[in-house]
Amino acid sequence: MRLEVTSGLRLHGRAYVVTGRGVTVVGHVRPYVAAQIVTLRLSSPHRKPALVHAKVRQGTGEGTFTTVFRARRAVRYVVAATHRPTPLQGFYFARAGVQALDVGGAGPGSHGPVVTLLKEGLRGLGYPAGSGPSWTDKLGRAVMAFRKTNNLERVFTAGREVVQKVFAHEGAFRLRHPGAGKHVEFDWSRQVLALANGATVVAVYHASSGKPSTPTVFGTYHFYLKAPGTNAKGMFDANYFTRGYAVHGYPDVPAYAASHGCIRVSNADAPTIFGWIAVGDPIFVYS
């Protein structure tokens, strides 16, 4: 038997969740034997252990059982599962732990496991956030893209709501054109740029398109020209998709539509996007 914590995120083999959220633990038993019962003992510091019983159900090539509890305190919880011998199946035992974190949020100057986990969770959802225990501008841009995608306040810091959603594996960008093969999508209403391979989101970036007086064109286009470096207008690593409209890097990328019609991304993100886009790739620009 083995136990698997399916909630939260993992770092160096350890599971982490946010306090106040439910924790799901799934047990896997091989071989499956009908009508077996497992006793689960939930322990945490300074509390009396709780005992529950779970019925082993038939899965694909194995037996499975599930228990769910709420992580109310910022402590380490341990779940121990025991199967007492029966005439049909012998004794087995497994244990799993999960650390609950009381997280208020994160921003510039933040450092530690919460930042590392936030980056890991965002990367898993398709937002390039980097790695490591320290807050960076890259993480701030990933948080902004996540916030925009989920219609949250457009700021570069991660409040508790953002952390909770990321730990719950919620908030991924949903493609409008999953059947288009390798392509780019720009959602004007949310001001985010998504790179995609078919139905798989490769990366989602914070972006800024044309302001009301110089709006970005809507429609389906194909990239026809790539211009590396910086031109006289300050456009960096430009990918042109129709006339003078391009996806390009720029020093200033605010949280709202502010360009002269192009789709701006951060200069720091532009080389990666430039290297990914190829001439002929389609781009869908929609509201």
Side-chain angles (χ1 to χ4, degrees), residues 237-287:
D237 280 357
N239 307 271
Y240 291 89
F241 55 87
T242 184
R243 304 195 304 275
Y245 294 90
V247 174
H248 66 82
Y250 202 72
D252 181 29
V253 186
Y256 50 88
S259 80
H260 297 98
C262 289
I263 299 170
R264 294 180 185 175
V265 296
S266 168
N267 275 346
D269 295 325
T272 300
I273 296 170
F274 187 84
W276 190 88
I277 292 174
V279 170
D281 287 348
I283 178 172
F284 301 88
V285 183
Y286 52 80
S287 61

Tab-separated table of all heavy atoms in Angstrom, residues 237-287:
chain	number	residue	atom	x	y	z
A	237	ASP	N	12.830	42.583	-30.643
A	237	ASP	CA	12.507	41.222	-31.093
A	237	ASP	C	11.057	41.137	-31.562
A	237	ASP	O	10.215	40.430	-30.984
A	237	ASP	CB	12.767	40.212	-29.972
A	237	ASP	CG	14.234	39.854	-29.850
A	237	ASP	OD1	15.035	40.339	-30.663
A	237	ASP	OD2	14.582	39.089	-28.924
A	238	ALA	N	10.780	41.840	-32.650
A	238	ALA	CA	9.408	41.970	-33.144
A	238	ALA	C	9.008	40.802	-34.035
A	238	ALA	O	9.789	40.330	-34.871
A	238	ALA	CB	9.257	43.279	-33.900
A	239	ASN	N	7.763	40.368	-33.863
A	239	ASN	CA	7.155	39.313	-34.678
A	239	ASN	C	5.929	39.927	-35.361
A	239	ASN	O	4.881	40.102	-34.730
A	239	ASN	CB	6.724	38.135	-33.797
A	239	ASN	CG	7.846	37.620	-32.912
A	239	ASN	OD1	8.608	36.754	-33.286
A	239	ASN	ND2	7.944	38.159	-31.697
A	240	TYR	N	6.034	40.258	-36.642
A	240	TYR	CA	4.956	40.948	-37.359
A	240	TYR	C	3.926	39.952	-37.870
A	240	TYR	O	4.272	38.902	-38.441
A	240	TYR	CB	5.527	41.730	-38.535
A	240	TYR	CG	6.367	42.923	-38.117
A	240	TYR	CD1	7.736	42.789	-37.877
A	240	TYR	CD2	5.784	44.179	-37.952
A	240	TYR	CE1	8.508	43.876	-37.484
A	240	TYR	CE2	6.550	45.278	-37.554
A	240	TYR	CZ	7.906	45.119	-37.323
A	240	TYR	OH	8.656	46.201	-36.934
A	241	PHE	N	2.617	40.308	-37.663
A	241	PHE	CA	1.560	39.409	-38.104
A	241	PHE	C	0.616	40.040	-39.117
A	241	PHE	O	-0.098	39.326	-39.815
A	241	PHE	CB	0.773	38.841	-36.919
A	241	PHE	CG	0.186	39.858	-35.989
A	241	PHE	CD1	-1.064	40.410	-36.219
A	241	PHE	CD2	0.875	40.258	-34.847
A	241	PHE	CE1	-1.626	41.332	-35.347
A	241	PHE	CE2	0.331	41.174	-33.967
A	241	PHE	CZ	-0.927	41.720	-34.219
A	242	THR	N	0.562	41.357	-39.230
A	242	THR	CA	-0.172	42.026	-40.307
A	242	THR	C	0.281	43.478	-40.367
A	242	THR	O	0.403	44.130	-39.329
A	242	THR	CB	-1.704	41.947	-40.116
A	242	THR	OG1	-2.359	42.538	-41.252
A	242	THR	CG2	-2.170	42.662	-38.858
A	243	ARG	N	0.571	43.956	-41.552
A	243	ARG	CA	1.077	45.319	-41.753
A	243	ARG	C	2.153	45.639	-40.713
A	243	ARG	O	3.121	44.893	-40.581
A	243	ARG	CB	-0.086	46.321	-41.729
A	243	ARG	CG	-1.183	45.997	-42.745
A	243	ARG	CD	-2.137	47.141	-42.987
A	243	ARG	NE	-2.796	47.657	-41.799
A	243	ARG	CZ	-3.908	47.148	-41.278
A	243	ARG	NH1	-4.473	46.087	-41.831
A	243	ARG	NH2	-4.463	47.695	-40.216
A	244	GLY	N	1.982	46.740	-39.959
A	244	GLY	CA	2.995	47.107	-38.966
A	244	GLY	C	2.704	46.599	-37.574
A	244	GLY	O	3.370	47.000	-36.608
A	245	TYR	N	1.713	45.721	-37.431
A	245	TYR	CA	1.340	45.187	-36.122
A	245	TYR	C	2.233	43.988	-35.781
A	245	TYR	O	2.439	43.095	-36.606
A	245	TYR	CB	-0.124	44.754	-36.104
A	245	TYR	CG	-1.094	45.897	-36.261
A	245	TYR	CD1	-1.527	46.298	-37.521
A	245	TYR	CD2	-1.589	46.572	-35.154
A	245	TYR	CE1	-2.430	47.345	-37.676
A	245	TYR	CE2	-2.493	47.621	-35.287
A	245	TYR	CZ	-2.898	48.005	-36.558
A	245	TYR	OH	-3.781	49.043	-36.693
A	246	ALA	N	2.719	43.991	-34.553
A	246	ALA	CA	3.653	42.931	-34.148
A	246	ALA	C	3.506	42.607	-32.669
A	246	ALA	O	3.003	43.423	-31.888
A	246	ALA	CB	5.093	43.363	-34.442
A	247	VAL	N	3.955	41.441	-32.323
A	247	VAL	CA	4.196	41.076	-30.922
A	247	VAL	C	5.668	41.383	-30.671
A	247	VAL	O	6.540	40.844	-31.350
A	247	VAL	CB	3.913	39.590	-30.665
A	247	VAL	CG1	4.309	39.213	-29.232
A	247	VAL	CG2	2.453	39.244	-30.930
A	248	HIS	N	5.949	42.258	-29.717
A	248	HIS	CA	7.341	42.679	-29.518
A	248	HIS	C	7.597	43.065	-28.066
A	248	HIS	O	6.678	43.389	-27.305
A	248	HIS	CB	7.691	43.854	-30.436
A	248	HIS	CG	6.946	45.127	-30.126
A	248	HIS	ND1	7.327	46.002	-29.125
A	248	HIS	CD2	5.842	45.669	-30.699
A	248	HIS	CE1	6.496	47.024	-29.092
A	248	HIS	NE2	5.581	46.851	-30.033
A	249	GLY	N	8.851	43.079	-27.712
A	249	GLY	CA	9.252	43.536	-26.397
A	249	GLY	C	9.267	45.047	-26.331
A	249	GLY	O	9.441	45.739	-27.344
A	250	TYR	N	9.086	45.559	-25.099
A	250	TYR	CA	9.081	47.008	-24.895
A	250	TYR	C	9.412	47.267	-23.423
A	250	TYR	O	9.066	46.468	-22.555
A	250	TYR	CB	7.706	47.590	-25.239
A	250	TYR	CG	7.723	49.059	-25.579
A	250	TYR	CD1	8.270	49.512	-26.776
A	250	TYR	CD2	7.196	50.007	-24.696
A	250	TYR	CE1	8.284	50.868	-27.099
A	250	TYR	CE2	7.216	51.351	-25.007
A	250	TYR	CZ	7.770	51.772	-26.212
A	250	TYR	OH	7.792	53.114	-26.523
A	251	PRO	N	10.069	48.398	-23.129
A	251	PRO	CA	10.437	48.652	-21.727
A	251	PRO	C	9.245	48.853	-20.807
A	251	PRO	O	9.313	48.522	-19.615
A	251	PRO	CB	11.280	49.933	-21.814
A	251	PRO	CG	11.752	49.997	-23.228
A	251	PRO	CD	10.662	49.387	-24.045
A	252	ASP	N	8.146	49.391	-21.338
A	252	ASP	CA	6.980	49.718	-20.511
A	252	ASP	C	5.799	48.854	-20.925
A	252	ASP	O	5.302	48.968	-22.054
A	252	ASP	CB	6.642	51.203	-20.655
A	252	ASP	CG	5.445	51.607	-19.799
A	252	ASP	OD1	5.245	50.974	-18.740
A	252	ASP	OD2	4.723	52.537	-20.190
A	253	VAL	N	5.354	47.990	-20.009
A	253	VAL	CA	4.192	47.137	-20.285
A	253	VAL	C	3.227	47.276	-19.112
A	253	VAL	O	3.285	46.498	-18.148
A	253	VAL	CB	4.607	45.659	-20.476
A	253	VAL	CG1	3.402	44.824	-20.901
A	253	VAL	CG2	5.719	45.533	-21.492
A	254	PRO	N	2.337	48.264	-19.164
A	254	PRO	CA	1.397	48.460	-18.047
A	254	PRO	C	0.319	47.386	-18.025
A	254	PRO	O	0.243	46.533	-18.926
A	254	PRO	CB	0.807	49.841	-18.343
A	254	PRO	CG	0.916	49.993	-19.822
A	254	PRO	CD	2.175	49.267	-20.225
A	255	ALA	N	-0.528	47.441	-17.022
A	255	ALA	CA	-1.556	46.409	-16.842
A	255	ALA	C	-2.775	46.627	-17.721
A	255	ALA	O	-3.731	45.861	-17.649
A	255	ALA	CB	-1.972	46.366	-15.373
A	256	TYR	N	-2.752	47.636	-18.564
A	256	TYR	CA	-3.903	47.974	-19.408
A	256	TYR	C	-3.403	48.205	-20.840
A	256	TYR	O	-2.186	48.258	-21.099
A	256	TYR	CB	-4.593	49.230	-18.879
A	256	TYR	CG	-3.632	50.366	-18.629
A	256	TYR	CD1	-3.297	51.273	-19.642
A	256	TYR	CD2	-3.029	50.515	-17.387
A	256	TYR	CE1	-2.385	52.302	-19.411
A	256	TYR	CE2	-2.120	51.552	-17.154
A	256	TYR	CZ	-1.806	52.434	-18.171
A	256	TYR	OH	-0.906	53.445	-17.940
A	257	ALA	N	-4.343	48.371	-21.781
A	257	ALA	CA	-3.994	48.612	-23.178
A	257	ALA	C	-3.371	50.002	-23.314
A	257	ALA	O	-4.000	51.000	-22.988
A	257	ALA	CB	-5.245	48.511	-24.051
A	258	ALA	N	-2.129	50.060	-23.817
A	258	ALA	CA	-1.416	51.341	-23.835
A	258	ALA	C	-0.517	51.538	-25.046
A	258	ALA	O	0.145	52.560	-25.155
A	258	ALA	CB	-0.575	51.471	-22.569
A	259	SER	N	-0.469	50.572	-25.970
A	259	SER	CA	0.484	50.664	-27.075
A	259	SER	C	-0.097	51.462	-28.243
A	259	SER	O	-1.225	51.961	-28.206
A	259	SER	CB	0.871	49.261	-27.540
A	259	SER	OG	-0.129	48.715	-28.389
A	260	HIS	N	0.685	51.537	-29.324
A	260	HIS	CA	0.242	52.218	-30.542
A	260	HIS	C	-0.462	51.247	-31.492
A	260	HIS	O	-0.687	51.578	-32.654
A	260	HIS	CB	1.437	52.876	-31.242
A	260	HIS	CG	2.086	53.949	-30.432
A	260	HIS	ND1	3.220	53.738	-29.674
A	260	HIS	CD2	1.739	55.249	-30.241
A	260	HIS	CE1	3.551	54.858	-29.056
A	260	HIS	NE2	2.681	55.791	-29.376
A	261	GLY	N	-0.783	50.071	-31.006
A	261	GLY	CA	-1.493	49.075	-31.806
A	261	GLY	C	-0.875	47.700	-31.722
A	261	GLY	O	-1.557	46.687	-31.920
A	262	CYS	N	0.419	47.647	-31.448
A	262	CYS	CA	1.092	46.355	-31.314
A	262	CYS	C	0.753	45.688	-29.986
A	262	CYS	O	0.122	46.290	-29.108
A	262	CYS	CB	2.606	46.546	-31.412
A	262	CYS	SG	3.192	46.970	-33.070
A	263	ILE	N	1.208	44.457	-29.851
A	263	ILE	CA	1.050	43.721	-28.598
A	263	ILE	C	2.404	43.713	-27.904
A	263	ILE	O	3.347	43.073	-28.360
A	263	ILE	CB	0.568	42.286	-28.858
A	263	ILE	CG1	-0.798	42.306	-29.553
A	263	ILE	CG2	0.494	41.498	-27.548
A	263	ILE	CD1	-1.244	40.940	-30.067
A	264	ARG	N	2.493	44.466	-26.815
A	264	ARG	CA	3.746	44.573	-26.079
A	264	ARG	C	3.884	43.454	-25.056
A	264	ARG	O	2.921	43.080	-24.389
A	264	ARG	CB	3.813	45.901	-25.310
A	264	ARG	CG	3.863	47.152	-26.121
A	264	ARG	CD	3.913	48.337	-25.156
A	264	ARG	NE	3.849	49.626	-25.832
A	264	ARG	CZ	3.789	50.790	-25.183
A	264	ARG	NH1	3.784	50.806	-23.848
A	264	ARG	NH2	3.731	51.920	-25.864
A	265	VAL	N	5.092	42.982	-24.914
A	265	VAL	CA	5.474	42.103	-23.805
A	265	VAL	C	6.741	42.683	-23.195
A	265	VAL	O	7.390	43.553	-23.788
A	265	VAL	CB	5.706	40.645	-24.263
A	265	VAL	CG1	4.423	40.025	-24.786
A	265	VAL	CG2	6.803	40.583	-25.318
A	266	SER	N	7.100	42.219	-22.020
A	266	SER	CA	8.309	42.712	-21.376
A	266	SER	C	9.545	42.374	-22.211
A	266	SER	O	9.627	41.304	-22.824
A	266	SER	CB	8.440	42.081	-19.988
A	266	SER	OG	9.720	42.310	-19.445
A	267	ASN	N	10.496	43.301	-22.225
A	267	ASN	CA	11.759	43.020	-22.910
A	267	ASN	C	12.411	41.742	-22.384
A	267	ASN	O	13.094	41.034	-23.122
A	267	ASN	CB	12.728	44.193	-22.738
A	267	ASN	CG	12.500	45.287	-23.770
A	267	ASN	OD1	11.801	45.084	-24.770
A	267	ASN	ND2	13.077	46.455	-23.544
A	268	ALA	N	12.202	41.466	-21.090
A	268	ALA	CA	12.799	40.267	-20.504
A	268	ALA	C	12.170	38.991	-21.060
A	268	ALA	O	12.825	37.944	-21.120
A	268	ALA	CB	12.650	40.305	-18.986
A	269	ASP	N	10.904	39.053	-21.466
A	269	ASP	CA	10.214	37.876	-22.007
A	269	ASP	C	10.338	37.776	-23.520
A	269	ASP	O	10.130	36.697	-24.097
A	269	ASP	CB	8.729	37.915	-21.640
A	269	ASP	CG	8.483	37.800	-20.142
A	269	ASP	OD1	9.246	37.073	-19.483
A	269	ASP	OD2	7.536	38.436	-19.645
A	270	ALA	N	10.653	38.891	-24.176
A	270	ALA	CA	10.634	38.945	-25.639
A	270	ALA	C	11.535	37.918	-26.318
A	270	ALA	O	11.114	37.289	-27.304
A	270	ALA	CB	10.972	40.359	-26.104
A	271	PRO	N	12.793	37.705	-25.869
A	271	PRO	CA	13.633	36.724	-26.570
A	271	PRO	C	13.056	35.309	-26.571
A	271	PRO	O	13.167	34.592	-27.571
A	271	PRO	CB	14.961	36.785	-25.791
A	271	PRO	CG	14.988	38.151	-25.209
A	271	PRO	CD	13.562	38.433	-24.840
A	272	THR	N	12.447	34.892	-25.458
A	272	THR	CA	11.846	33.554	-25.400
A	272	THR	C	10.681	33.453	-26.371
A	272	THR	O	10.539	32.463	-27.098
A	272	THR	CB	11.371	33.242	-23.974
A	272	THR	OG1	12.478	33.296	-23.077
A	272	THR	CG2	10.734	31.866	-23.900
A	273	ILE	N	9.838	34.472	-26.393
A	273	ILE	CA	8.692	34.479	-27.307
A	273	ILE	C	9.173	34.525	-28.752
A	273	ILE	O	8.656	33.812	-29.622
A	273	ILE	CB	7.779	35.685	-26.988
A	273	ILE	CG1	7.199	35.536	-25.575
A	273	ILE	CG2	6.666	35.815	-28.020
A	273	ILE	CD1	6.471	36.761	-25.061
A	274	PHE	N	10.186	35.345	-29.024
A	274	PHE	CA	10.748	35.466	-30.371
A	274	PHE	C	11.303	34.125	-30.846
A	274	PHE	O	11.117	33.733	-32.000
A	274	PHE	CB	11.855	36.528	-30.365
A	274	PHE	CG	12.395	36.865	-31.724
A	274	PHE	CD1	11.754	37.794	-32.535
A	274	PHE	CD2	13.555	36.262	-32.200
A	274	PHE	CE1	12.262	38.115	-33.794
A	274	PHE	CE2	14.067	36.567	-33.450
A	274	PHE	CZ	13.418	37.496	-34.258
A	275	GLY	N	11.970	33.416	-29.970
A	275	GLY	CA	12.528	32.126	-30.334
A	275	GLY	C	11.479	31.058	-30.562
A	275	GLY	O	11.719	30.094	-31.298
A	276	TRP	N	10.306	31.228	-29.945
A	276	TRP	CA	9.248	30.217	-30.068
A	276	TRP	C	8.413	30.426	-31.325
A	276	TRP	O	8.040	29.465	-31.999
A	276	TRP	CB	8.354	30.243	-28.832
A	276	TRP	CG	7.383	29.114	-28.742
A	276	TRP	CD1	7.582	27.886	-28.179
A	276	TRP	CD2	6.038	29.092	-29.257
A	276	TRP	NE1	6.461	27.107	-28.305
A	276	TRP	CE2	5.495	27.819	-28.952
A	276	TRP	CE3	5.255	30.030	-29.927
A	276	TRP	CZ2	4.202	27.455	-29.314
A	276	TRP	CZ3	3.965	29.666	-30.295
A	276	TRP	CH2	3.437	28.396	-29.990
A	277	ILE	N	8.088	31.676	-31.652
A	277	ILE	CA	7.245	31.978	-32.811
A	277	ILE	C	8.034	31.770	-34.103
A	277	ILE	O	9.188	32.181	-34.224
A	277	ILE	CB	6.725	33.431	-32.740
A	277	ILE	CG1	5.734	33.588	-31.574
A	277	ILE	CG2	6.056	33.838	-34.054
A	277	ILE	CD1	5.281	35.024	-31.343
A	278	ALA	N	7.404	31.145	-35.065
A	278	ALA	CA	8.005	30.950	-36.394
A	278	ALA	C	7.147	31.640	-37.443
A	278	ALA	O	5.927	31.789	-37.276
A	278	ALA	CB	8.118	29.457	-36.712
A	279	VAL	N	7.788	32.064	-38.525
A	279	VAL	CA	7.047	32.631	-39.643
A	279	VAL	C	6.037	31.586	-40.129
A	279	VAL	O	6.382	30.414	-40.329
A	279	VAL	CB	8.008	33.044	-40.773
A	279	VAL	CG1	7.216	33.406	-42.045
A	279	VAL	CG2	8.876	34.213	-40.344
A	280	GLY	N	4.813	32.031	-40.311
A	280	GLY	CA	3.744	31.124	-40.736
A	280	GLY	C	2.837	30.673	-39.615
A	280	GLY	O	1.712	30.218	-39.874
A	281	ASP	N	3.291	30.788	-38.369
A	281	ASP	CA	2.433	30.428	-37.228
A	281	ASP	C	1.207	31.355	-37.193
A	281	ASP	O	1.339	32.572	-37.410
A	281	ASP	CB	3.175	30.552	-35.908
A	281	ASP	CG	4.196	29.457	-35.704
A	281	ASP	OD1	4.198	28.477	-36.454
A	281	ASP	OD2	5.023	29.606	-34.762
A	282	PRO	N	0.028	30.820	-36.882
A	282	PRO	CA	-1.146	31.678	-36.775
A	282	PRO	C	-1.230	32.380	-35.421
A	282	PRO	O	-0.727	31.866	-34.420
A	282	PRO	CB	-2.311	30.695	-36.936
A	282	PRO	CG	-1.773	29.401	-36.429
A	282	PRO	CD	-0.311	29.393	-36.763
A	283	ILE	N	-1.857	33.541	-35.427
A	283	ILE	CA	-2.185	34.243	-34.194
A	283	ILE	C	-3.649	34.630	-34.246
A	283	ILE	O	-4.131	35.108	-35.281
A	283	ILE	CB	-1.292	35.488	-33.969
A	283	ILE	CG1	-1.736	36.211	-32.673
A	283	ILE	CG2	-1.288	36.423	-35.160
A	283	ILE	CD1	-0.810	37.345	-32.253
A	284	PHE	N	-4.348	34.392	-33.160
A	284	PHE	CA	-5.762	34.732	-33.036
A	284	PHE	C	-5.870	35.886	-32.047
A	284	PHE	O	-5.482	35.733	-30.877
A	284	PHE	CB	-6.563	33.534	-32.547
A	284	PHE	CG	-6.463	32.325	-33.437
A	284	PHE	CD1	-5.450	31.386	-33.265
A	284	PHE	CD2	-7.381	32.126	-34.461
A	284	PHE	CE1	-5.349	30.269	-34.080
A	284	PHE	CE2	-7.297	31.003	-35.295
A	284	PHE	CZ	-6.279	30.083	-35.106
A	285	VAL	N	-6.390	37.009	-32.512
A	285	VAL	CA	-6.563	38.190	-31.659
A	285	VAL	C	-8.055	38.395	-31.473
A	285	VAL	O	-8.794	38.601	-32.459
A	285	VAL	CB	-5.923	39.445	-32.287
A	285	VAL	CG1	-6.052	40.636	-31.344
A	285	VAL	CG2	-4.460	39.192	-32.636
A	286	TYR	N	-8.506	38.307	-30.228
A	286	TYR	CA	-9.953	38.381	-29.970
A	286	TYR	C	-10.218	39.086	-28.651
A	286	TYR	O	-9.328	39.300	-27.838
A	286	TYR	CB	-10.558	36.974	-29.944
A	286	TYR	CG	-9.863	35.993	-29.026
A	286	TYR	CD1	-10.103	36.003	-27.643
A	286	TYR	CD2	-8.962	35.063	-29.515
A	286	TYR	CE1	-9.480	35.109	-26.804
A	286	TYR	CE2	-8.323	34.148	-28.691
A	286	TYR	CZ	-8.585	34.177	-27.331
A	286	TYR	OH	-7.962	33.294	-26.495
A	287	SER	N	-11.485	39.449	-28.463
A	287	SER	CA	-11.888	40.117	-27.218
A	287	SER	C	-12.673	39.158	-26.349
A	287	SER	O	-13.074	38.088	-26.798
A	287	SER	CB	-12.733	41.341	-27.510
A	287	SER	OG	-13.916	40.980	-28.190
